[in-house]
């Protein structure tokens, strides 16, 4: 292996002849071409069992070279592949029918993940690497990930997720000479160690509780036995769909969605005051204080904004699930920030495409965007501020791991513990305290 000093000496020798970045690029291209030719000769030597120009009494010998052009991220290269007489040599570095170096495939997939169209990728590859490729080549390269998508979508999952965020994002797809909206469903789980994991993606023509029922059934078939808290928006019938598959799961309606909905009825002159009074409700220390603040909100704003107070009262049970849990982790429960940040990455890629030519094209782009986002999920979810994170993570691990260990150590199966996860905050708190005392 060439060491750093040898590389530096080579750079010093070449520096005098390098006048521009184009010169450096040409040198890089020549270096790559020479490396491939040398490596192929080494492969042939290994195959035949003797070096070039050495006489050997063996039936199979070298038989010239075949020249061909291959595309790479350093430009188009003309390489010489050695041949043998009985045609048994199978080069590994650049195979016989290979027309591009793998690094170029990675570049194509990277541009595709960022939302570029096939035509834009062709132009980008030409501009950056001076390599001519076709739109059909881009499609073939990106189609290679379809098997990866299938394997990922069917992989086994953990048996328990303390929190699962369920949401969807709308994309435009061309179908039957029309452009229609389709929903891509997302299920983002938070594991016991606090780390995020995208459990799966599904595509349908519109968002509905019936389709979500199928999604949750699939998660169950892939090994998810328990979801402790499902965080969702206010889609009608959503809680019923969740409890059909996971009857003991608590369903927390997203506070952020609820606040946004409420503010639609408020003119800008009152927005700041109304927002502050709403925050006093969901930011209260206890459920009793939240109920008192809701009554105060009704007294101040009820007559002026009856739709707002009516919506909060009608959804009160689903909006206040998080009050049954330690204050340190409530924010993680009552907001869908975790999945909203994922949606932001997806929208960045989707908005560049505007309209997808097929369901498959939309699914590929969204999958690649989620894979890029998941590379940053090496750390557990955070509390609202950095200085609270250590305390938050300790509380998360202690609360959920002890609770789940307690459930299973007592032999309470999924169908034998209905009182634990019902939306009764007082009973839930007492049961959690009881489990803590049992573990101690």
């Amino acid at each position: 292996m060439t060491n750093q000093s040898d590389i530096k000496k080579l750079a010093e020798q070449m520096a005098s002849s390098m006048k521009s970045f184009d010169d450096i690029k040409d040198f890089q291209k020549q270096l790559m071409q020479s490396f491939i030719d040398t490596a192929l000769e080494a492969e042939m030597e290994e195959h035949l069992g003797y070096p070039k120009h050495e006489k050997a009494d063996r039936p199979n010998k070298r038989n010239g070279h075949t020249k061909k052009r291959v595309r790479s991220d350093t430009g188009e290269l003309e390489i010489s592949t050695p041949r043998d007489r009985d045609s048994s040599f199978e080069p590994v570095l650049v195979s016989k029918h290979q027309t591009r170096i793998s690094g170029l495939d990675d570049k194509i997939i990277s541009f595709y993940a960022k939302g570029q169209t096939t035509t834009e990728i062709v132009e980008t590859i030409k501009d950056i690497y001076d390599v001519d490729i076709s739109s059909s080549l881009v499609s073939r390269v990106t189609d290679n990930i379809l098997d990866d998508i299938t394997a990922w979508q069917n992989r086994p999952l953990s048996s328990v997720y303390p929190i699962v965020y369920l949401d969807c994002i709308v994309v435009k797809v061309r179908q039957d000479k029309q452009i229609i909206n389709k929903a891509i469903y997302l299920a983002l789980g938070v594991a016991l160690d606090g780390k995020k994991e995208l459990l799966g993606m599904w595509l349908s023509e519109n968002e509905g509780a019936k389709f979500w029922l199928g999604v949750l059934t699939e998660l169950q078939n892939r090994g998810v036995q328990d979801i402790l808290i499902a965080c969702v928006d206010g889609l009608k019938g959503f809680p019923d769909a969740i409890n059909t598959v996971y009857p003991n799961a608590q369903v927390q309606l997203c506070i952020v969605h609820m606040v946004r909905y409420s503010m639609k009825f408020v003119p800008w002159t009152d927005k700041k005051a109304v927002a502050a009074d709403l925050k006093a409700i969901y930011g209260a220390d206890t459920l009793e204080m939240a109920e008192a603040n809701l009554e105060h909100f009704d007294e101040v704003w009820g007559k002026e904004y009856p739709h707002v107070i009516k919506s909060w009262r009608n959804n009160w049970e689903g909006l206040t699930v998080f009050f049954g849990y330690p204050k340190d982790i409530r924010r993680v429960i009552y907001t869908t920030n975790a999945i909203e940040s994922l949606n932001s990455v997806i929208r960045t890629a989707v908005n560049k495409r505007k309209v997808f030519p097929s369901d498959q094209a939309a699914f590929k782009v969204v999958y690649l965007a989620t894979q890029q986002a998941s590379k940053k999920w090496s750390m557990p979810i955070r509390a609202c501020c950095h200085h609270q994170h250590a305390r938050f993570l300790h509380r998360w691990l202690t609360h959920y791991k002890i609770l789940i260990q307690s459930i299973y150590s007592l032999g309470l199966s999924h169908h034998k513990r209905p009182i634990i996860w019902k939306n009764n905050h007082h009973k839930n708190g007492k049961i959690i305290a009881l489990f803590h005392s049992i573990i101690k």
Side-chain angles (χ1 to χ4, degrees):
M1 182 68 69
T2 304
N3 58 40
Q4 194 67 30
S5 61
D6 291 336
I7 295 174
K8 187 175 181 179
K9 288 178 182 178
L10 178 61
E12 290 172 350
Q13 292 172 6
M14 300 302 300
S16 59
S17 60
M18 301 288 177
K19 303 299 182 183
S20 66
F21 281 107
D22 287 338
D23 291 339
I24 296 174
K25 188 175 180 180
D26 289 340
F27 173 69
Q28 185 182 16
K29 182 177 176 180
Q30 293 169 22
L31 194 64
M32 174 67 80
Q33 188 166 307
S34 297
F35 168 77
I36 293 174
D37 288 344
T38 303
L40 292 175
E41 290 292 348
E43 286 188 33
M44 176 61 84
E45 183 176 317
E46 179 71 21
H47 174 68
L48 295 177
Y50 63 92
K52 193 175 182 180
H53 305 305
E54 181 180 298
K55 291 184 179 181
D57 187 19
R58 300 186 185 187
N60 192 20
K61 300 181 183 296
R62 286 176 171 77
N63 189 30
H65 296 79
T66 298
K67 290 187 178 294
K68 71 173 181 179
R69 292 181 178 275
V70 294
R71 305 181 187 98
S72 76
D73 53 10
T74 58
E76 193 169 64
L77 309 175
E78 186 178 84
I79 63 173
S80 296
T81 304
R83 299 194 306 258
D84 59 343
R85 288 185 178 179
D86 62 9
S87 299
S88 59
F89 175 55
E90 294 291 339
V92 176
L93 182 63
V94 182
S95 60
K96 285 184 177 179
H97 302 291
Q98 186 175 338
T99 58
R100 61 187 185 277
I101 308 299
S102 58
L104 188 63
D105 289 8
D106 295 337
K107 296 293 190 301
I108 291 173
I109 290 174
S110 176
F111 291 136
Y112 198 84
K114 293 174 181 176
Q116 287 194 3
T117 64
T118 53
T119 301
E120 288 171 341
I121 293 173
V122 169
E123 294 172 352
T124 301
I125 294 293
K126 178 63 176 177
D127 291 342
I128 298 177
Y129 306 112
D130 194 26
V131 174
D132 293 313
I133 60 174
S134 64
S135 296
S136 59
L137 172 62
V138 174
S139 296
R140 288 197 301 272
V141 169
T142 55
D143 282 347
N144 289 336
I145 67 169
L146 293 176
D147 290 340
D148 294 338
I149 294 176
T150 301
W152 174 82
Q153 186 72 16
N154 292 284
R155 74 195 188 282
L157 299 171
S158 299
S159 58
V160 179
Y161 289 91
I163 301 178
V164 173
Y165 304 95
L166 302 170
D167 202 0
C168 81
I169 190 165
V170 177
V171 296
K172 294 184 180 297
V173 179
R174 196 178 302 278
Q175 181 175 299
D176 300 327
K177 298 181 180 180
Q178 292 182 326
I179 296 174
I180 62 175
N181 289 334
K182 293 200 174 185
I184 293 183
Y185 296 74
L186 304 169
L188 180 68
V190 181
L192 289 174
D193 59 3
K195 293 181 181 179
K196 294 183 288 186
E197 176 188 356
L198 187 63
L199 308 183
M201 303 189 320
W202 301 263
L203 190 143
S204 176
E205 286 198 12
N206 47 57
E207 184 181 16
K210 185 177 180 180
F211 191 87
W212 273 116
L213 179 62
V215 167
L216 292 160
T217 302
E218 181 180 318
L219 292 180
Q220 188 180 58
N221 292 337
R222 288 168 58 195
V224 182
Q225 298 175 18
D226 269 311
I227 294 174
L228 306 188
I229 303 173
C231 298
V232 303
D233 59 17
L235 179 67
K236 187 177 181 180
F238 209 160
D240 292 336
I242 295 168
N243 289 137
T244 298
V245 182
Y246 298 103
N248 300 310
Q250 286 185 293
V251 180
Q252 170 67 52
L253 299 181
C254 178
I255 294 291
V256 174
H257 280 80
M258 192 64 183
V259 171
R260 287 175 185 167
Y261 173 78
S262 300
M263 299 308 287
K264 289 181 180 179
F265 300 97
V266 181
W268 69 270
T269 52
D270 289 338
K271 280 187 183 294
K272 188 174 181 179
V274 170
D277 285 346
L278 288 176
K279 188 174 183 179
I281 298 172
Y282 62 82
D285 289 336
T286 65
L287 178 61
E288 290 74 15
M289 289 180 62
E291 290 171 342
N293 291 340
L294 179 67
E295 294 302 325
H296 173 74
F297 185 92
D298 194 358
E299 292 173 6
V300 177
W301 304 107
K303 292 183 179 179
E304 199 162 355
Y305 307 115
H307 292 292
V308 175
I309 191 65
K310 181 181 178 181
S311 181
W312 279 79
R313 290 194 184 281
N314 288 344
N315 294 284
W316 187 246
E317 188 177 20
L319 289 169
T320 56
V321 168
F322 67 93
F323 281 108
Y325 294 87
K327 193 171 182 179
D328 291 344
I329 63 173
R330 288 180 185 176
R331 185 178 177 84
V332 177
I333 298 172
Y334 74 67
T335 70
T336 54
N337 287 352
I339 200 165
E340 287 291 344
S341 63
L342 174 62
N343 286 347
S344 177
V345 175
I346 295 172
R347 287 192 185 96
T348 299
V350 167
N351 290 342
K352 290 180 180 178
R353 294 294 296 263
K354 304 299 182 184
V355 179
F356 291 93
S358 65
D359 290 356
Q360 190 180 83
F363 210 83
K364 284 192 295 185
V365 168
V366 174
Y367 168 78
L368 289 170
T370 61
Q371 294 305 297
Q372 290 292 323
S374 66
K375 292 178 181 178
K376 300 178 181 179
W377 295 349
S378 58
M379 296 296 290
I381 51 177
R382 286 192 170 273
C384 54
C385 15
H386 290 282
H387 70 275
Q388 294 180 340
H389 180 58
R391 187 178 65 179
F392 159 78
L393 184 57
H394 172 74
R395 176 77 73 153
W396 170 276
L397 294 172
T398 302
H399 182 79
Y400 283 115
K401 282 193 173 181
I402 287 180
L403 188 55
I404 291 169
Q405 286 169 4
S406 302
I407 292 169
Y408 287 99
S409 67
L410 291 174
L412 300 176
S413 67
H414 179 75
H415 299 290
K416 293 182 180 179
R417 48 182 177 81
I419 64 167
I420 297 172
W421 305 115
K422 290 299 181 184
N423 292 331
N424 187 314
H425 308 295
H426 302 290
K427 288 184 178 180
N428 194 43
K430 291 179 181 178
I431 292 168
I432 291 173
L434 174 62
F435 281 148
H436 276 277
S437 66
I438 291 171
I439 290 298
K440 293 176 181 177

